Amino acid sequence: MAKIQFTGKLTAEGPNGAWVFLEVPKEASEKLGSRGRVFVVGSINGLAIRTSALPTGRGTHQLAVNKAVQAGANAKPGERVKVVLELDTQERVVKVPADVTRAISAKAPVKALWATLTPRCREEWVQWIEEAKKPE
């Protein structure tokens, strides 16, 4: 797939503009090859990104643009940015702590369920488990 290039506007949504999104134009969105979630790599104003293009329900996709990306791209809501995207075909690997791996492997149903989870879902589970741990 060739690189997709476009200029788009960062838009704040939600309570007090809590979330910032960048809508991918329809022509560019169609080049992603799916109406569902698509893993992409590229850049916003030259800042390298690796993220997901999420379906909007309007036949296009959007990118969530967090504060770190906004700062790195020197852009804020209401401003236009230069975007380059392409499909991300690299496997997403989640670092799973040894104790979590042992717990998953110990029960066949849990191991089977784990195998069905997306990398993002696995990452969230690991984060949830790690945050719940206490020294005692």
Side-chain angles (χ1 to χ4, degrees), residues 4-132:
I4 301 168
Q5 298 184 33
F6 63 93
T7 301
K9 183 178 176 182
L10 297 180
T11 305
E13 297 181 20
N16 298 316
W19 305 292
V20 176
F21 295 99
L22 171 66
E23 185 147 356
V24 178
K26 188 169 182 71
E27 305 78 35
S29 193
E30 289 172 350
K31 293 178 182 177
L32 294 174
S34 171
R35 291 184 62 158
R37 178 181 178 173
V38 179
F39 295 126
V40 293
V41 293
S43 64
I44 296 177
N45 280 355
L47 176 74
I49 59 168
R50 184 177 190 210
T51 189
S52 295
L54 306 168
T56 62
R58 299 181 300 272
T60 60
H61 290 82
Q62 66 184 1
L63 306 177
V65 183
N66 66 27
K67 294 203 183 295
V69 172
Q70 291 173 55
N74 195 27
K76 55 187 174 216
E79 295 182 346
R80 298 189 68 73
V81 293
K82 293 180 182 178
V83 182
V84 178
L85 295 178
E86 61 185 307
L87 293 179
D88 183 359
T89 57
Q90 289 243 325
E91 182 180 353
R92 293 180 181 255
V93 179
V94 178
K95 184 177 178 187
V96 182
D99 60 334
V100 176
T101 299
R102 283 192 302 276
I104 291 166
S105 299
K107 303 270 185 181
V110 175
K111 189 173 181 179
L113 172 64
W114 185 260
T116 68
L117 300 178
T118 65
R120 179 68 181 141
C121 189
R122 289 178 184 182
E123 182 178 67
E124 287 177 356
W125 278 38
V126 168
Q127 182 180 8
W128 176 70
I129 292 166
E130 291 297 296
E131 287 175 355

